[in-house]
Amino acid sequence: MPQKRTYLMCPPEFYAVDYAINPWMDTSTPVDTELALKQWERLRETLTGLGHTVHVLPAEPGLPDMVYAANGAFTVDGVAYGARFKYAQRTAEAASHRAYLAARGWTCVQPVETNEGEGDFAYLPDAYGGLILAGYGFRTEPAAHVEAQDVLGRPVVSLHLVDPRFYHLDTALAALDDRTVAYYPHAFSAASQRVLRQLFPDAVRADDADAYAFGLNLVSDGRHVVLNSEATGMAYKVEAAGYTPVLVELSELKKGGGSVKCCVAELR
């Protein structure tokens, strides 16, 4: 059944690909900021049309990746575990998220360890009494998993990402509801694949085409699965699993290495 969600998004008003900090970014490829804004707005309208609340974090000049709002913090039960970005180009985003959330009553915890918010953390409240899945290998440090567990009071399972194209957990794994996941096995180490098989034997498993089309970078309310329009194979898989796929075109934002989930932080 669908559950009403609350999300945070940031418009791509200053979006550009002026530097390359992941394999998808190519500074020689032109970016159409106007089209990116239109695609972003369509995503926002899709989420509100499904009955969800979407708050908007104002964009700031000089922060072209701020549109990827999922990376700014990770929230559970009114507590926001803040981000500490790996790359200097994104460092200032963390303070913007912290200020926004604190002004609206969130308990914000500034991290000591490097982590990139919900980009590398996924929460499943109905799995094993409340479980956090956490990625490491490219952006978030394993020590941040321990820090997040202490801050949020939920058990954390560490998952090792091994393919640089899937540099954040949210490019390789997604929560389809509060206890079910979809994931791309080859993005993870052999040991982490075994962990995922044990924890989620009924998971939806993506193939190469799904993953390269950013089909795991999705947002789900437990029934409707909003995902990149290129990911038609993944759409068939989630539909076969009993969910309703909703396709949204985000071709411009993919140039920066992100898609649906990267643009959407869930506020719990």
Side-chain angles (χ1 to χ4, degrees), residues 248-261:
V248 178
E249 171 65 47
L250 285 180
S251 58
E252 286 305 301
L253 293 171
K254 186 182 176 184
K255 294 177 181 178
S259 190
V260 175
K261 181 69 190 83

Side-chain angles (χ1 to χ4, degrees), residues 11-114:
E13 294 175 11
F14 305 104
Y15 173 64
V17 179
D18 294 332
Y19 49 78
I21 57 174
N22 69 62
W24 304 95
M25 301 177 84
D26 181 355
T27 57
S28 67
T29 300
V31 170
D32 186 334
T33 303
E34 183 178 352
L35 178 57
L37 275 164
K38 291 178 180 178
Q39 292 178 347
W40 178 90
E41 182 61 31
R42 178 57 182 154
L43 173 59
R44 188 192 67 81
E45 291 174 349
T46 297
L47 294 172
T48 57
L50 292 172
H52 306 302
T53 300
V54 177
H55 298 289
V56 176
L57 175 68
E60 297 183 22
L63 297 175
D65 282 343
M66 202 168 170
V67 62
Y68 303 122
N71 304 150
F74 175 55
T75 63
V76 176
D77 289 345
V79 177
Y81 174 55
R84 184 175 182 180
F85 287 90
K86 178 175 180 177
Y87 292 103
Q89 292 95 329
R90 301 197 65 184
T91 299
E93 295 178 39
S96 298
H97 281 261
R98 186 166 60 250
Y100 182 91
L101 293 169
R104 287 155 181 81
W106 290 79
T107 299
C108 296
V109 178
Q110 188 167 353
V112 173
E113 306 296 342
T114 299

